[in-house]
Amino acid sequence: MQWVAVSLALMAALCLALGTQTQSAAVTAHTQEALKPSNLGSLVRNPKWVAGLVLLGLGTALNVGALTLATVTVVQPIGVIALVITTLLHAKHKHLDINARTWGAISLCTAGSAVFVVAAVAGTDPSYLADPRAEIILVSILIALVLFFGVAELFLRHRRISMFYVLAAGILYGFVAVLVRLTMTHTLAHGLGQIHWFTVIMIVLASVVGGWMVQCAYSCGPPDLVIAGLTVVDPIVGVILGLSVLGEAGPGFTPGIGAIMCLAGGVAIVGVVLLSRHHPEVIERREQAKRLEHELSSKSSPNATEHRKTLNSTREH
């Protein structure tokens, strides 16, 4: 059943990539400034944004199906495949030439993820039943995280720091994946009448807050970098929680498998870092920042203050 889950997760990654690129194009066309809740009305009326939302919804449904059949440790890392697809789609949309370093970074992300998944399949137990106390611990931590990220977003909104949004969304989605897995296994074992509704409410709330963070990240940087961060942060959080809090490690989980998973995860992280430095659009933004800095140093104008604001905003991304 785990390989059926892997197939569902692959289809979910495809929907995630298509939905991400579609929504990102809609958001960036809508505004070049900090995204605000008041902008949601016009986004909802945008057919392209709605189409992206439908694709993301389908991807989420497929991912839930995968989490029903396999552990979080197996399912979540597969999402990195969406990075490759999103990079190709975004390059075509922006008419960007993907350089060799970008391809190398993508290869590291994909290879690291593939090795991670194979090791996870060998070392986890899909038939485990988590201790009920684990759910209480996870929900309590999630409440604190939702409050923290919600307040932080209010203070950091106008600084438009894309990595803050990516990290926040990745962490929240990691908790959501684990709680979805817990809810589905509990429901299959005990029936719909035993669903813990407060957990379901927190899953929905964290998904909404995480979704908003993703929308803000779209307005600050290219979608493939957003996906790169999410498909690494989300699985890392999910795996840590799955192995430590839920006890997903099966009899086949040995120190050797653990070392392989750590090494593979490290390779994927290095790939994301390299992608964030050598992505064509990042290079273009960096060159733009240099040009603005040169203009500020070579002449003084009434618009100097505005130029400095633009330069600082560009550097932050």
Side-chain angles (χ1 to χ4, degrees), residues 153-179:
E153 197 276 333
L154 294 176
F155 286 97
L156 298 176
R157 177 175 299 167
H158 295 290
R159 297 193 63 182
R160 305 183 72 204
I161 305 174
S162 59
M163 282 308 300
F164 162 74
Y165 294 118
V166 170
L167 289 173
I171 292 171
L172 291 176
Y173 285 158
F175 273 82
V176 166
V178 173
L179 288 174

mmCIF file of all heavy atoms in Angstrom, residues 153-179:
data_model
loop_
_atom_site.group_PDB
_atom_site.id
_atom_site.type_symbol
_atom_site.label_atom_id
_atom_site.label_comp_id
_atom_site.label_asym_id
_atom_site.label_seq_id
_atom_site.Cartn_x
_atom_site.Cartn_y
_atom_site.Cartn_z
ATOM 1 N N GLU A 153 3.418 38.174 11.249
ATOM 2 C CA GLU A 153 3.086 38.629 9.894
ATOM 3 C C GLU A 153 2.612 40.074 9.894
ATOM 4 O O GLU A 153 2.926 40.845 8.976
ATOM 5 C CB GLU A 153 2.018 37.711 9.292
ATOM 6 C CG GLU A 153 1.886 37.813 7.784
ATOM 7 C CD GLU A 153 0.991 38.947 7.335
ATOM 8 O OE1 GLU A 153 0.094 39.318 8.101
ATOM 9 O OE2 GLU A 153 1.188 39.462 6.213
ATOM 10 N N LEU A 154 1.884 40.468 10.921
ATOM 11 C CA LEU A 154 1.400 41.845 11.003
ATOM 12 C C LEU A 154 2.563 42.833 11.093
ATOM 13 O O LEU A 154 2.514 43.912 10.508
ATOM 14 C CB LEU A 154 0.481 42.007 12.220
ATOM 15 C CG LEU A 154 -0.848 41.235 12.178
ATOM 16 C CD1 LEU A 154 -1.595 41.418 13.486
ATOM 17 C CD2 LEU A 154 -1.701 41.701 11.003
ATOM 18 N N PHE A 155 3.607 42.452 11.820
ATOM 19 C CA PHE A 155 4.749 43.349 12.003
ATOM 20 C C PHE A 155 5.709 43.325 10.816
ATOM 21 O O PHE A 155 6.390 44.317 10.537
ATOM 22 C CB PHE A 155 5.514 42.972 13.281
ATOM 23 C CG PHE A 155 4.814 43.355 14.554
ATOM 24 C CD1 PHE A 155 4.059 42.437 15.247
ATOM 25 C CD2 PHE A 155 4.895 44.646 15.048
ATOM 26 C CE1 PHE A 155 3.402 42.779 16.422
ATOM 27 C CE2 PHE A 155 4.249 45.008 16.224
ATOM 28 C CZ PHE A 155 3.493 44.076 16.917
ATOM 29 N N LEU A 156 5.779 42.191 10.106
ATOM 30 C CA LEU A 156 6.765 42.039 9.029
ATOM 31 C C LEU A 156 6.174 42.230 7.631
ATOM 32 O O LEU A 156 6.904 42.175 6.651
ATOM 33 C CB LEU A 156 7.404 40.649 9.106
ATOM 34 C CG LEU A 156 8.197 40.335 10.377
ATOM 35 C CD1 LEU A 156 8.684 38.894 10.352
ATOM 36 C CD2 LEU A 156 9.377 41.288 10.532
ATOM 37 N N ARG A 157 4.868 42.479 7.545
ATOM 38 C CA ARG A 157 4.195 42.521 6.246
ATOM 39 C C ARG A 157 4.859 43.475 5.268
ATOM 40 O O ARG A 157 5.122 43.132 4.114
ATOM 41 C CB ARG A 157 2.728 42.911 6.437
ATOM 42 C CG ARG A 157 1.940 43.050 5.140
ATOM 43 C CD ARG A 157 0.492 43.325 5.434
ATOM 44 N NE ARG A 157 -0.114 42.230 6.203
ATOM 45 C CZ ARG A 157 -1.294 42.326 6.808
ATOM 46 N NH1 ARG A 157 -1.956 43.455 6.774
ATOM 47 N NH2 ARG A 157 -1.769 41.295 7.461
ATOM 48 N N HIS A 158 5.166 44.684 5.707
ATOM 49 C CA HIS A 158 5.683 45.694 4.775
ATOM 50 C C HIS A 158 7.170 45.502 4.456
ATOM 51 O O HIS A 158 7.691 46.163 3.568
ATOM 52 C CB HIS A 158 5.440 47.085 5.348
ATOM 53 C CG HIS A 158 3.977 47.430 5.458
ATOM 54 N ND1 HIS A 158 3.192 47.669 4.351
ATOM 55 C CD2 HIS A 158 3.161 47.526 6.536
ATOM 56 C CE1 HIS A 158 1.952 47.929 4.737
ATOM 57 N NE2 HIS A 158 1.905 47.856 6.058
ATOM 58 N N ARG A 159 7.839 44.605 5.162
ATOM 59 C CA ARG A 159 9.235 44.318 4.839
ATOM 60 C C ARG A 159 9.355 43.289 3.720
ATOM 61 O O ARG A 159 10.402 43.160 3.103
ATOM 62 C CB ARG A 159 9.970 43.826 6.084
ATOM 63 C CG ARG A 159 10.018 44.874 7.200
ATOM 64 C CD ARG A 159 11.008 44.488 8.259
ATOM 65 N NE ARG A 159 12.358 44.436 7.714
ATOM 66 C CZ ARG A 159 13.428 44.091 8.426
ATOM 67 N NH1 ARG A 159 13.287 43.750 9.697
ATOM 68 N NH2 ARG A 159 14.623 44.067 7.875
ATOM 69 N N ARG A 160 8.268 42.513 3.498
ATOM 70 C CA ARG A 160 8.190 41.575 2.380
ATOM 71 C C ARG A 160 9.387 40.609 2.357
ATOM 72 O O ARG A 160 10.100 40.493 1.372
ATOM 73 C CB ARG A 160 8.084 42.326 1.065
ATOM 74 C CG ARG A 160 6.929 43.311 0.999
ATOM 75 C CD ARG A 160 6.837 43.962 -0.357
ATOM 76 N NE ARG A 160 6.366 43.002 -1.333
ATOM 77 C CZ ARG A 160 6.603 43.108 -2.645
ATOM 78 N NH1 ARG A 160 7.328 44.103 -3.110
ATOM 79 N NH2 ARG A 160 6.134 42.199 -3.485
ATOM 80 N N ILE A 161 9.594 39.913 3.463
ATOM 81 C CA ILE A 161 10.687 38.945 3.583
ATOM 82 C C ILE A 161 10.153 37.577 3.152
ATOM 83 O O ILE A 161 9.443 36.906 3.913
ATOM 84 C CB ILE A 161 11.230 38.894 5.016
ATOM 85 C CG1 ILE A 161 11.657 40.300 5.462
ATOM 86 C CG2 ILE A 161 12.409 37.930 5.111
ATOM 87 C CD1 ILE A 161 12.074 40.375 6.915
ATOM 88 N N SER A 162 10.478 37.158 1.964
ATOM 89 C CA SER A 162 9.886 35.947 1.405
ATOM 90 C C SER A 162 10.221 34.703 2.220
ATOM 91 O O SER A 162 9.382 33.807 2.380
ATOM 92 C CB SER A 162 10.322 35.762 -0.047
ATOM 93 O OG SER A 162 11.729 35.684 -0.134
ATOM 94 N N MET A 163 11.448 34.609 2.754
ATOM 95 C CA MET A 163 11.830 33.417 3.497
ATOM 96 C C MET A 163 11.027 33.264 4.781
ATOM 97 O O MET A 163 10.789 32.145 5.232
ATOM 98 C CB MET A 163 13.328 33.453 3.821
ATOM 99 C CG MET A 163 14.213 33.068 2.646
ATOM 100 S SD MET A 163 13.749 31.489 1.861
ATOM 101 C CE MET A 163 13.938 30.343 3.221
ATOM 102 N N PHE A 164 10.604 34.376 5.386
ATOM 103 C CA PHE A 164 9.745 34.270 6.571
ATOM 104 C C PHE A 164 8.446 33.565 6.205
ATOM 105 O O PHE A 164 7.995 32.653 6.911
ATOM 106 C CB PHE A 164 9.436 35.658 7.141
ATOM 107 C CG PHE A 164 8.243 35.667 8.065
ATOM 108 C CD1 PHE A 164 8.334 35.142 9.339
ATOM 109 C CD2 PHE A 164 7.022 36.187 7.639
ATOM 110 C CE1 PHE A 164 7.225 35.125 10.185
ATOM 111 C CE2 PHE A 164 5.914 36.175 8.467
ATOM 112 C CZ PHE A 164 6.011 35.641 9.748
ATOM 113 N N TYR A 165 7.837 33.977 5.103
ATOM 114 C CA TYR A 165 6.572 33.378 4.681
ATOM 115 C C TYR A 165 6.754 31.907 4.325
ATOM 116 O O TYR A 165 5.912 31.067 4.662
ATOM 117 C CB TYR A 165 6.007 34.135 3.486
ATOM 118 C CG TYR A 165 5.595 35.550 3.802
ATOM 119 C CD1 TYR A 165 6.211 36.633 3.186
ATOM 120 C CD2 TYR A 165 4.591 35.809 4.721
ATOM 121 C CE1 TYR A 165 5.831 37.928 3.469
ATOM 122 C CE2 TYR A 165 4.205 37.108 5.018
ATOM 123 C CZ TYR A 165 4.828 38.161 4.389
ATOM 124 O OH TYR A 165 4.454 39.443 4.688
ATOM 125 N N VAL A 166 7.853 31.590 3.645
ATOM 126 C CA VAL A 166 8.099 30.204 3.236
ATOM 127 C C VAL A 166 8.318 29.313 4.460
ATOM 128 O O VAL A 166 7.754 28.212 4.551
ATOM 129 C CB VAL A 166 9.315 30.142 2.296
ATOM 130 C CG1 VAL A 166 9.745 28.701 2.057
ATOM 131 C CG2 VAL A 166 8.993 30.813 0.971
ATOM 132 N N LEU A 167 9.138 29.779 5.408
ATOM 133 C CA LEU A 167 9.392 28.991 6.613
ATOM 134 C C LEU A 167 8.116 28.805 7.427
ATOM 135 O O LEU A 167 7.836 27.705 7.922
ATOM 136 C CB LEU A 167 10.468 29.669 7.464
ATOM 137 C CG LEU A 167 11.894 29.625 6.906
ATOM 138 C CD1 LEU A 167 12.817 30.477 7.772
ATOM 139 C CD2 LEU A 167 12.407 28.197 6.847
ATOM 140 N N ALA A 168 7.352 29.890 7.580
ATOM 141 C CA ALA A 168 6.113 29.808 8.357
ATOM 142 C C ALA A 168 5.147 28.809 7.723
ATOM 143 O O ALA A 168 4.582 27.946 8.417
ATOM 144 C CB ALA A 168 5.463 31.191 8.457
ATOM 145 N N ALA A 169 4.962 28.916 6.413
ATOM 146 C CA ALA A 169 4.048 27.997 5.724
ATOM 147 C C ALA A 169 4.543 26.560 5.803
ATOM 148 O O ALA A 169 3.758 25.630 6.043
ATOM 149 C CB ALA A 169 3.886 28.420 4.266
ATOM 150 N N GLY A 170 5.839 26.351 5.609
ATOM 151 C CA GLY A 170 6.392 25.004 5.657
ATOM 152 C C GLY A 170 6.211 24.349 7.022
ATOM 153 O O GLY A 170 5.845 23.173 7.118
ATOM 154 N N ILE A 171 6.450 25.104 8.082
ATOM 155 C CA ILE A 171 6.290 24.567 9.435
ATOM 156 C C ILE A 171 4.828 24.235 9.714
ATOM 157 O O ILE A 171 4.494 23.160 10.230
ATOM 158 C CB ILE A 171 6.829 25.570 10.479
ATOM 159 C CG1 ILE A 171 8.356 25.681 10.357
ATOM 160 C CG2 ILE A 171 6.443 25.134 11.895
ATOM 161 C CD1 ILE A 171 8.964 26.787 11.186
ATOM 162 N N LEU A 172 3.927 25.149 9.360
ATOM 163 C CA LEU A 172 2.497 24.912 9.599
ATOM 164 C C LEU A 172 2.000 23.713 8.796
ATOM 165 O O LEU A 172 1.266 22.860 9.323
ATOM 166 C CB LEU A 172 1.692 26.153 9.241
ATOM 167 C CG LEU A 172 1.887 27.373 10.164
ATOM 168 C CD1 LEU A 172 1.110 28.564 9.633
ATOM 169 C CD2 LEU A 172 1.432 27.045 11.580
ATOM 170 N N TYR A 173 2.400 23.618 7.530
ATOM 171 C CA TYR A 173 1.971 22.498 6.700
ATOM 172 C C TYR A 173 2.542 21.167 7.199
ATOM 173 O O TYR A 173 1.920 20.113 7.044
ATOM 174 C CB TYR A 173 2.370 22.717 5.247
ATOM 175 C CG TYR A 173 1.523 23.731 4.523
ATOM 176 C CD1 TYR A 173 1.997 24.380 3.382
ATOM 177 C CD2 TYR A 173 0.249 24.042 4.962
ATOM 178 C CE1 TYR A 173 1.218 25.308 2.705
ATOM 179 C CE2 TYR A 173 -0.537 24.968 4.303
ATOM 180 C CZ TYR A 173 -0.049 25.599 3.175
ATOM 181 O OH TYR A 173 -0.825 26.513 2.523
ATOM 182 N N GLY A 174 3.741 21.200 7.787
ATOM 183 C CA GLY A 174 4.303 19.989 8.365
ATOM 184 C C GLY A 174 3.430 19.462 9.495
ATOM 185 O O GLY A 174 3.158 18.257 9.581
ATOM 186 N N PHE A 175 2.972 20.365 10.361
ATOM 187 C CA PHE A 175 2.066 19.971 11.445
ATOM 188 C C PHE A 175 0.721 19.509 10.890
ATOM 189 O O PHE A 175 0.134 18.538 11.401
ATOM 190 C CB PHE A 175 1.856 21.149 12.404
ATOM 191 C CG PHE A 175 2.895 21.240 13.479
ATOM 192 C CD1 PHE A 175 4.129 21.828 13.227
ATOM 193 C CD2 PHE A 175 2.648 20.755 14.745
ATOM 194 C CE1 PHE A 175 5.093 21.918 14.218
ATOM 195 C CE2 PHE A 175 3.602 20.831 15.745
ATOM 196 C CZ PHE A 175 4.834 21.417 15.482
ATOM 197 N N VAL A 176 0.230 20.196 9.856
ATOM 198 C CA VAL A 176 -1.047 19.812 9.263
ATOM 199 C C VAL A 176 -0.970 18.383 8.715
ATOM 200 O O VAL A 176 -1.889 17.572 8.925
ATOM 201 C CB VAL A 176 -1.442 20.791 8.143
ATOM 202 C CG1 VAL A 176 -2.576 20.223 7.286
ATOM 203 C CG2 VAL A 176 -1.873 22.126 8.743
ATOM 204 N N ALA A 177 0.114 18.063 8.026
ATOM 205 C CA ALA A 177 0.258 16.724 7.453
ATOM 206 C C ALA A 177 0.232 15.648 8.539
ATOM 207 O O ALA A 177 -0.416 14.605 8.388
ATOM 208 C CB ALA A 177 1.557 16.639 6.650
ATOM 209 N N VAL A 178 0.935 15.910 9.624
ATOM 210 C CA VAL A 178 0.979 14.935 10.716
ATOM 211 C C VAL A 178 -0.402 14.761 11.342
ATOM 212 O O VAL A 178 -0.847 13.637 11.609
ATOM 213 C CB VAL A 178 1.998 15.377 11.787
ATOM 214 C CG1 VAL A 178 1.918 14.463 13.007
ATOM 215 C CG2 VAL A 178 3.411 15.336 11.211
ATOM 216 N N LEU A 179 -1.110 15.877 11.574
ATOM 217 C CA LEU A 179 -2.433 15.792 12.185
ATOM 218 C C LEU A 179 -3.461 15.164 11.239
ATOM 219 O O LEU A 179 -4.388 14.478 11.691
ATOM 220 C CB LEU A 179 -2.896 17.181 12.625
ATOM 221 C CG LEU A 179 -2.154 17.744 13.845
ATOM 222 C CD1 LEU A 179 -2.562 19.183 14.120
ATOM 223 C CD2 LEU A 179 -2.416 16.883 15.082
#
